[in-house]
Amino acid sequence: GDALLPAPQNISIISTNMKHFLTWSPVTIQGETVRYSVEFQGEYEREYANESWIPICECSLITTTMCNMTEDISATVPYNLRVRAETGTRRSEWGTLKGFFNRITTYLTPPLMKIIADGYHLLVELEDMGPAFQFRVLYWRKGQESKMQQKIVKEISSTLHLDTMEAGTEYCVKAQTYVEAINRSSNFSEMQCVRAQG
Amino acid sequence: LANGSKIFHFGPCRISMSMNEIRAGFAAIKANIQGRDPIRTVSILSHPHSLHRIKSSEKCCIIHHLFNFYVDKVFKYCTTEDSYINRKISSIANSFLSIKRNLVQCHNQNMCKCGQESTEKFKQILTNYKGLNVTSAAMKSLGELDILLDWM
Amino acid sequence: GELYCSLPTPRNVHFESINMKNVLHWSAPDGTGDGVLYKVKYSVYGVGKWIRKLECRNISRTWCDLSSETADYEEQYYASVKAFLHGMCSDWMETARFNPLTETKIDPPMVSVSSTEKSISVILTAPEKWKGSPEEESISLAQVYPGLQYNVSVLNKKTKKRWWFSVSNNTLVVPWLEPGTVYCVSAQTHVTTPLLSSAFSKEYCIATLKDKTA
């Protein structure tokens, strides 16, 4: 019979800011288009559903070597992930990610932040990182770090009003993201300072 | 977009639940799942009385029981022919499992007391469940997830 | 018993809900012109019986207000419509299960603005839940949705700069503004669980008083 295709190798997950991508090395067969299919298995499937695997239709018979798992890895439990190669007639064994993946390990980057002084008003612009993200914004009058104030931002809108500033004084701001679903925060962004009018 | 996480305090026990992730998952399958439940006259969770009648002091106990109920007796019998629906059910099931783990800790630390009212209520829910065949009971229970989420 | 019903069923039978004013809507059966009459019934999910809505019996309009019948937002409901034309009838056509708490749309808040020389004050009032008559007690949607809050935008008409505020109580004071300047305020009602957001209100503009010393 037809020899089995080699299973995909170098399977890994790239997870940044709660976006999770499974990647693998291509399987190359002279003169043939190789396609890949991906499946996942959550802890629930392992423990309560006979270790069943669930296919991802957006990553079934694809020719690329990457699959966006974000929508399916939507619980903070360990997941098994696997991919196999197939050509028209032949199929490989499943290649499985070594070890579980839990979204709690996602890499959280500090938020992009821009500070604006508009008269006596201190304003901040933060990037919208998706519904899972809140922001912890710390701000203080320069030289008075001990009187640092905090604002938790749950909703991103463009220019958010932080506070009013005393005339002619300089204020500094830094921010970090917080993801409630995994109870983790990013590092702080670089500090930025602006001066109030007057 | 807001975050919609909810933190439950049962005494010193703190449980964080990403409610809107579960709600979004359910909203995506609600019409499909409820459409598979032709029985309008019976509710698993609300018969004969609504969950809203339960004292708040016994809320933790019922939530603990209900999360076990959904994990043990509901999700696994709700496999459909639709892969998209199955993926959403898996997402909800794994979220419930994650929360159930936290609830077990609260329960083991004795912060999730069960009184007669919640015990009776959960017994009634099991009776309602057993009154139907497994698949119908499971599908109806899954279709009533918003009743549980709204009450929580 | 019911006649043998060969008329096509009403289409797109669904609830349209704003602040829990829950109105059943539908479209006429396919291929029928004028003269179609309808009757409506509803039921509470988990309770045995269908209840006829008497005020919507033999009506020609294609909506029926079921707000008072579906006022308990801890319950869920079904409604159903049947059509009649020239002695023929249709089968009943049902809605999907309707959950007022998560499926209603909410209005923007009421906004009132006042100003001094260097500040504006904004008072926000959550919309009220539908009620059957003016004498009935008013229930604010803030009571129905404990997590209700507001997103407020303030536009400086001179600089054209817009600032955003997230407000969880119902007042916002913006100090240190420019005298003699027009500011326009618009607000949105926002609930985090379940996730509900209103449109933004219209803009309410007010000028800060002129600087007396200038």
Side-chain angles (χ1 to χ4, degrees):
Chain A
D2 289 337
L4 269 180
L5 284 185
Q9 301 295 313
N10 305 317
I11 300 166
S12 66
I13 191 103
I14 300 167
S15 175
T16 306
N17 291 331
M18 296 294 270
K19 300 255 186 317
H20 323 299
F21 293 88
L22 188 71
T23 67
W24 57 89
S25 299
V27 171
T28 48
I29 305 291
Q30 200 64 35
E32 293 204 54
T33 303
V34 177
R35 294 177 185 281
Y36 306 94
S37 296
V38 175
E39 294 185 347
F40 70 91
Q41 178 195 72
E43 188 176 14
Y44 180 84
E45 282 73 32
R46 274 194 305 286
E47 298 201 1
Y48 292 88
N50 310 312
E51 302 189 356
S52 54
W53 289 82
I54 298 177
I56 300 177
C57 45
E58 293 87 352
C59 298
S60 289
L61 301 176
I62 57 174
T63 53
T64 54
T65 57
M66 174 184 286
C67 172
N68 184 348
M69 315 280 306
T70 305
E71 202 175 316
D72 291 292
I73 297 180
S74 54
T76 308
V77 294
Y79 281 83
N80 269 326
L81 308 172
R82 70 182 185 181
V83 56
R84 81 174 157 201
E86 41 194 295
T87 60
T89 55
R90 295 185 294 159
R91 214 179 242 183
S92 79
E93 293 292 334
W94 288 102
T96 304
L97 179 71
K98 284 191 184 53
F100 295 125
F101 169 68
N102 189 320
R103 65 177 184 175
I104 206 165
T105 62
T106 193
Y107 175 64
L108 294 176
T109 62
L112 295 180
M113 176 187 80
K114 180 182 165 197
I115 300 303
I116 301 160
D118 188 345
Y120 301 108
H121 295 267
L122 179 59
L123 308 159
V124 63
E125 288 180 357
L126 292 158
E127 70 176 305
D128 187 344
M129 299 177 71
F133 286 80
Q134 299 175 42
F135 297 86
R136 183 162 163 252
V137 183
L138 302 182
Y139 57 94
W140 64 94
R141 187 172 157 170
K142 195 159 192 178
Q144 296 187 6
E145 278 73 3
S146 60
K147 293 182 181 165
M148 198 175 274
Q149 295 186 67
Q150 162 179 297
K151 184 167 266 194
I152 302 296
V153 179
K154 294 191 174 183
E155 269 255 279
I156 284 303
S157 35
S158 47
T159 312
L160 186 72
H161 187 279
L162 272 183
D163 211 334
T164 48
M165 302 184 280
E166 285 168 38
T169 54
E170 195 170 6
Y171 280 72
C172 300
V173 181
K174 62 181 181 181
Q176 66 180 161
T177 63
Y178 174 67
V179 181
E180 179 83 53
I182 58 174
N183 195 22
R184 277 188 47 221
S185 298
S186 72
N187 292 332
F188 275 100
S189 61
E190 290 295 320
M191 177 181 76
Q192 293 178 36
C193 303
V194 287
R195 180 180 296 276
Q197 92 177 29
Chain B
L1 277 170
N3 166 278
S5 280
K6 196 160 186 173
I7 297 180
F8 288 86
H9 294 271
F10 303 120
C13 192
R14 171 194 185 279
I15 295 187
S16 159
M17 296 185 196
S18 303
M19 294 297 274
N20 272 6
E21 271 183 330
I22 296 174
R23 277 188 181 279
F26 180 72
I29 62 174
K30 167 182 152 84
N32 182 294
I33 296 296
Q34 290 180 348
R36 295 168 191 257
D37 172 15
I39 307 167
R40 306 284 194 268
T41 54
V42 171
S43 163
I44 303 278
L45 298 183
S46 301
H47 178 78
H49 304 304
S50 156
L51 288 167
H52 292 271
R53 284 210 189 179
I54 292 168
K55 298 198 287 273
S56 58
S57 59
E58 301 202 29
K59 197 167 185 175
C60 179
C61 170
I62 275 289
I63 289 177
H64 175 228
H65 275 313
L66 282 177
F67 270 70
N68 287 343
F69 167 73
Y70 272 89
V71 165
D72 296 334
K73 292 185 182 302
V74 174
F75 296 124
K76 66 177 79 171
Y77 301 113
C78 291
T79 303
T80 74
E81 70 297 334
D82 184 324
S83 139
Y84 176 76
I85 300 287
N86 294 342
R87 286 160 68 185
K88 289 300 173 185
I89 293 173
S90 164
S91 159
I92 296 169
N94 279 287
S95 293
F96 264 58
L97 183 56
S98 169
I99 294 163
K100 173 188 142 124
R101 289 267 148 70
N102 297 335
L103 280 165
V104 164
Q105 285 165 25
C106 277
H107 198 261
N108 296 347
Q109 294 157 28
N110 233 328
M111 295 171 225
C112 205
K113 290 203 172 52
C114 289
Q116 195 207 335
E117 189 182 322
S118 44
T119 305
E120 284 302 321
K121 176 61 181 174
F122 186 62
K123 230 182 261 174
Q124 178 66 58
I125 287 171
L126 288 182
T127 304
N128 297 341
Y129 177 87
K130 289 171 183 151
L132 302 171
N133 74 66
V134 171
T135 308
S136 305
M139 207 52 93
K140 177 176 271 296
S141 303
L142 180 56
E144 293 184 5
L145 204 62
D146 52 351
I147 293 176
L148 171 61
L149 299 176
D150 292 348
W151 166 70
M152 286 171 67
Chain C
E2 298 270 333
L3 305 164
Y4 169 68
C5 296
S6 59
L7 196 64
T9 56
R11 293 167 297 146
N12 190 22
V13 183
H14 66 285
F15 277 95
E16 290 183 14
S17 173
I18 298 176
N19 302 336
M20 296 197 184
K21 176 181 171 64
N22 306 323
V23 180
L24 186 67
H25 286 261
W26 62 89
S27 309
D30 231 358
T32 55
D34 296 336
V36 184
L37 299 179
Y38 305 95
K39 61 182 176 179
V40 170
K41 63 182 181 181
Y42 67 92
S43 76
V44 178
Y45 171 67
V47 175
K49 52 189 172 13
W50 285 98
I51 303 165
R52 299 293 169 99
K53 171 73 172 175
L54 299 182
E55 297 84 347
C56 295
R57 211 156 61 102
N58 298 328
I59 57 172
S60 56
R61 64 176 188 268
T62 57
W63 59 268
C64 171
D65 190 336
L66 292 172
S67 300
S68 56
E69 288 79 11
T70 56
D72 181 351
Y73 53 81
E74 288 177 357
E75 298 288 356
Q76 303 189 12
Y77 305 89
Y78 286 92
S80 196
V81 186
K82 191 184 188 71
F84 297 86
L85 181 62
H86 306 143
M88 290 191 298
C89 62
S90 78
D91 287 331
W92 289 99
M93 178 51 85
E94 264 176 29
T95 64
R97 195 180 304 172
F98 172 61
N99 179 344
L101 188 72
T102 58
E103 294 176 47
T104 197
K105 299 206 166 28
I106 52 179
D107 275 338
M110 284 196 296
V111 179
S112 79
V113 191
S114 59
S115 71
T116 65
E117 202 179 294
K118 290 192 169 183
S119 73
I120 60 171
S121 298
V122 182
I123 295 176
L124 304 157
T125 308
E128 282 180 7
K129 178 181 185 290
W130 170 88
K131 58 183 182 180
S133 66
E135 296 74 38
E136 268 183 45
E137 181 210 352
S138 295
I139 299 173
S140 164
L141 286 186
Q143 295 166 256
V144 177
Y145 302 103
L148 188 142
Q149 57 191 48
Y150 308 98
N151 293 325
V152 180
S153 104
V154 176
L155 172 68
N156 179 325
K157 289 291 265 188
K158 192 189 292 181
T159 65
K160 299 287 188 284
K161 289 182 180 165
R162 186 185 298 273
W163 304 342
W164 295 87
F165 299 79
S166 181
V167 181
S168 24
N169 48 29
N170 55 10
T171 53
L172 168 67
V173 177
V174 187
W176 293 97
L177 298 177
E178 296 172 48
T181 303
V182 174
Y183 291 89
C184 294
V185 177
S186 173
Q188 171 196 50
T189 311
H190 181 69
V191 176
T192 48
T193 300
L195 200 53
L196 299 173
S197 282
S198 76
F200 270 88
S201 68
K202 74 181 184 77
E203 281 199 331
Y204 295 81
C205 297
I206 193 163
T208 47
L209 307 179
K210 294 236 184 319
D211 187 347
K212 299 187 188 75
T213 59

